[in-house]
Amino acid sequence: MMRNRADRRRRARGGVALGLGMIAGLLGLVGAPGPARALSDAVVHDIYTGLAISGFDPVSYFTDGAPQIGQARFEVEHAGVFWRFVNEGNLAAFLAAPAIYMPAYGGYSALSVAAGVPAAGIPEIFAIRNDRLFLFASEAQRTEWLQDPEIYVFDADRNWPELERGLAH
């Protein structure tokens, strides 16, 4: 009789654990990549959602001339962060050539990178020059950068490899 009760308790505990494991799996709590494991600081992203450039569609800067907020159903992980798009076409364009659409310097401010400092850019403050998307930490930075973009791009391109190595991947 003791053996049966002990067996029933073991089975009951196993069933509860199995049930909780199934619920956690269905909710995406088990086996889902966590932010500390999946995200790269080489691309500016929201630390809570993992979204690059605040969820704006990087292709929309080029197609619409302004950032458009992407949709969760058109989301992809690339370069250690999550990108959203307004439609399937923009998602396909990005997947075909991500280097074209990703912001320069991982979304860090182009002027800050030129100065040797990786400060996050603000997605709504941007410029497109020579088919490259540049973000800035303020409107004042963007204004300064636009006065001599060639020299700032030269300096930022030179500084970025070292700065990027210092960021977690």
Side-chain angles (χ1 to χ4, degrees), residues 36-104:
R37 185 170 54 124
L39 302 178
S40 169
D41 288 335
V43 177
V44 175
H45 62 275
D46 181 285
I47 62 169
Y48 299 107
T49 64
L51 292 174
I53 58 175
S54 301
F56 286 101
D57 177 343
V59 177
S60 69
Y61 289 89
F62 296 90
T63 58
D64 299 335
Q68 304 296 321
I69 200 73
Q71 298 180 40
R73 66 184 178 159
F74 302 117
E75 183 176 290
V76 67
E77 182 179 359
H78 178 76
V81 295
F82 300 95
W83 302 85
R84 287 192 175 168
F85 303 89
V86 296
N87 57 46
E88 194 173 322
N90 283 12
L91 171 60
F94 180 84
L95 290 175
I100 290 173
Y101 297 108
M102 289 175 58

Side-chain angles (χ1 to χ4, degrees), residues 82-145:
F82 300 95
W83 302 85
R84 287 192 175 168
F85 303 89
V86 296
N87 57 46
E88 194 173 322
N90 283 12
L91 171 60
F94 180 84
L95 290 175
I100 290 173
Y101 297 108
M102 289 175 58
Y105 321 118
Y108 287 91
S109 167
L111 192 68
S112 296
V113 172
V117 180
I122 298 170
E124 296 92 338
I125 305 173
F126 71 97
I128 294 176
R129 183 145 181 98
N130 297 327
D131 296 322
R132 288 177 76 187
L133 172 61
F134 299 94
L135 303 181
F136 305 92
S138 68
E139 190 59 49
Q141 278 196 351
R142 181 182 179 276
T143 300
E144 182 178 338
W145 185 86

